[in-house]
Amino acid sequence: MTVFDIAADFTVTVEEWEALAKRTLTAPAYDYVASGSGAEETLAKNKTAFRQWDIIPQVLIDVSERDLSVQLLNETLAVPVMLAPVGFQTIVHPDGELAAAGGAAELKVPFVASTVSSFSLEEISAEMKGQAPCYFQLYWPADDDVAASLVARAEAAGYAGIVVTVDTPLLGWREKDMHNRYFPIETGAGIANFLNDPTFQQKYNEGGTLTYKQQIPAIKRILLNQKVTWNKLDWLRQRTTLPIVLKGIMHEEDALLALDYGVDGIIVSNHGGRQLDGTGSALEALDVIANKIQGRLPLVVDGGIRRGPDIIKALALGADTVLIGRPYIYGLTEGKQGVKAVLTSLIKDLDTSVAIAGITHVSSIGRSFVRKYSGPY
Ligand code: FNR
């Protein structure tokens, strides 16, 4: 490869993929993916936060060899990008999570499988063929037996960790979805993990006589849990040997509590602006949390990451790696190839940006690479 074909894998921008998704999907499905809660203040802040940090490049460094790999939870990741847990992916493409996980794995990008996937966690991990780690995201069900069963299944299926989403005691105030009267679970998407769960079936479909539609009310009843507290983490620890990562931490005191309670990592996230509207951006929270944690816990961030330089800024502010959500879902409108195209462009953009910033190893990116910019744009 020469320096002139560096963009050979470039397809279109995330914004163009989004426009394609908008044209292709039904309006309620597109709104479900693209929107945030409330007035979408947080959704917007997640993106604008990146403009408030400037990268300070360095020059006259031999950047002919570059290493994009990072370490996370005893794994070496080929690139500092993972696919965030996104539920109900068959509303975007019939191949749903299988296309996304399979596409990610072929590029050695880890995948986080949502509790509310449209394929079972076993089918998803099988699709990755061990080419990249997969993590299971747990919405802690309001039924301990089902929670224990999901976690045991994830461990048996070869998942590398449990990502417990802690920012969703109930769903955010999602005005567009309410306006559209749309929640994907009603279409039968996102319930495969329950239809395939022996404990759920035994408790809520005794005799196996209920149709999938008849099982949806019970799934909705136990899907989220408003009673889980820090003390319950011990219960989970006793049921799995896998690393436990909390997703949805925004407060620095919670980051310190996570450390006290012995979790293995945290994902600084406001759920892509879909839960509590009015919170600050994930990037700003990362800055504060990284200062408190001082390297004592692996930190991951998501929300608003669209281009290579965004990843450099996130790593500079203390993240070990990042997650992307909507960008790959927009790519998913074209199935596995679309997911791969989005990821390939993002990784190439990162590689290009890293080189021009004078960075040879992304794992060495520290705070000196960014400076806060508070002037007008
Ligand atoms: C999500 N997210 C999410 N998070 C989670 O823990 N479990 C889930 O099932 C889902 N489902 C989901 C559906 C859709 C359509 C979206 C857009 C997001 C949140 C997701 O993991 C991640 O935090 C955000 O998407 C990150 O922000 P960006 O990259 O979309 O800006």
Side-chain angles (χ1 to χ4, degrees):
M1 196 210 285
T2 75
V3 286
F4 297 107
D5 59 11
I6 199 154
D9 293 313
F10 178 74
T11 52
V12 294
T13 62
V14 172
E15 291 77 12
E16 287 168 290
W17 280 108
E18 176 170 0
L20 175 72
K22 193 168 185 175
R23 285 198 301 277
T24 313
L25 302 178
T26 63
Y30 168 76
D31 281 348
Y32 181 74
V33 173
S35 68
S37 53
E40 302 187 330
E41 270 177 34
T42 299
L43 178 72
K45 279 185 193 168
N46 274 351
K47 281 200 213 168
T48 53
F50 285 92
R51 302 181 60 183
Q52 275 148 19
W53 290 92
D54 291 339
I55 298 173
I56 319 293
Q58 291 200 272
V59 297
L60 290 175
I61 292 165
D62 177 352
V63 291
S64 58
E65 304 273 336
R66 298 180 291 281
D67 180 358
L68 301 186
S69 71
V70 290
Q71 300 289 322
L72 184 78
L73 301 168
N74 304 323
E75 307 268 353
T76 301
L77 312 185
V79 288
V81 181
M82 304 173 43
L83 297 195
V86 169
F88 312 108
Q89 293 187 19
T90 46
I91 67 170
V92 176
H93 189 279
D95 297 340
E97 293 81 2
L98 297 185
E106 285 175 20
L107 296 173
K108 307 211 176 314
V109 170
F111 184 77
V112 188
S114 168
T115 292
V116 281
S117 293
S118 301
F119 293 89
S120 72
L121 63 93
E122 289 84 2
E123 291 171 297
I124 294 170
S125 65
E127 194 69 23
M128 294 186 72
K129 304 186 182 87
Q131 299 167 101
C134 50
Y135 300 86
F136 180 66
Q137 176 264 324
L138 184 72
Y139 277 132
W140 202 311
D143 180 321
D144 280 354
D145 297 333
V146 176
S149 176
L150 288 170
V151 169
R153 282 171 57 200
E155 190 153 357
Y159 280 78
I162 304 292
V163 171
V164 186
T165 297
V166 289
D167 60 12
T168 310
L170 70 175
L171 281 187
W173 189 253
R174 302 185 187 169
E175 296 177 6
K176 290 214 172 94
D177 299 338
M178 289 187 281
H179 174 84
N180 293 332
R181 307 274 187 277
Y182 183 79
F183 185 50
I185 207 165
E186 307 294 351
T187 71
I191 58 175
N193 280 326
F194 297 94
L195 300 184
N196 287 282
D197 192 84
T199 305
F200 180 86
Q201 289 301 312
Q202 194 193 356
K203 290 184 80 166
Y204 299 97
N205 185 17
E206 212 188 330
T209 54
L210 298 181
T211 63
Y212 83 81
K213 276 211 165 97
Q214 289 169 322
Q215 297 182 57
I216 291 174
I219 296 170
K220 281 164 61 178
R221 215 164 47 243
I222 67 155
L223 179 60
L224 300 175
N225 189 338
Q226 298 182 23
K227 294 186 174 170
V228 180
T229 63
W230 291 97
N231 289 328
K232 187 84 184 186
L233 287 171
D234 261 356
W235 179 95
L236 183 59
R237 181 61 85 198
Q238 283 156 25
R239 277 158 188 81
T240 181
T241 60
L242 295 177
I244 296 172
V245 174
L246 302 185
K247 174 174 182 282
I249 300 288
M250 289 290 287
H251 200 299
E252 70 256 42
E253 293 301 327
D254 282 354
L256 293 173
L257 278 171
L259 195 60
D260 287 348
Y261 278 85
V263 307
D264 300 287
I266 57 184
I267 302 177
V268 179
S269 170
N270 52 35
H271 215 111
R274 300 165 72 80
Q275 281 299 101
L276 179 61
D277 193 39
T279 72
S281 68
L283 191 73
E284 288 301 321
L286 171 69
D287 179 34
V288 175
I289 287 172
N291 275 324
K292 281 271 179 197
I293 291 294
Q294 292 293 328
R296 288 173 289 173
L297 263 184
L299 299 180
V300 179
V301 69
D302 73 17
I305 291 156
R306 301 292 178 265
R307 287 185 166 75
D310 298 340
I311 300 175
I312 295 180
K313 292 176 187 181
L315 299 192
L317 289 175
D320 293 286
T321 184
V322 305
L323 299 175
I324 56 163
R326 293 179 185 85
Y328 85 88
I329 297 299
Y330 296 139
L332 182 61
T333 45
E334 299 254 309
K336 184 180 180 176
Q337 292 316 316
V339 172
K340 286 181 75 174
V342 167
L343 273 173
T344 304
S345 275
L346 182 65
I347 294 166
K348 286 275 180 179
D349 176 359
L350 175 66
D351 185 45
T352 305
S353 306
V354 155
I356 302 171
I359 297 161
T360 53
H361 290 74
V362 298
S363 56
S364 71
I365 297 175
R367 267 199 94 88
S368 66
F369 281 96
V370 287
R371 193 179 297 150
K372 188 115 193 199
Y373 177 72
S374 50
Y377 283 98

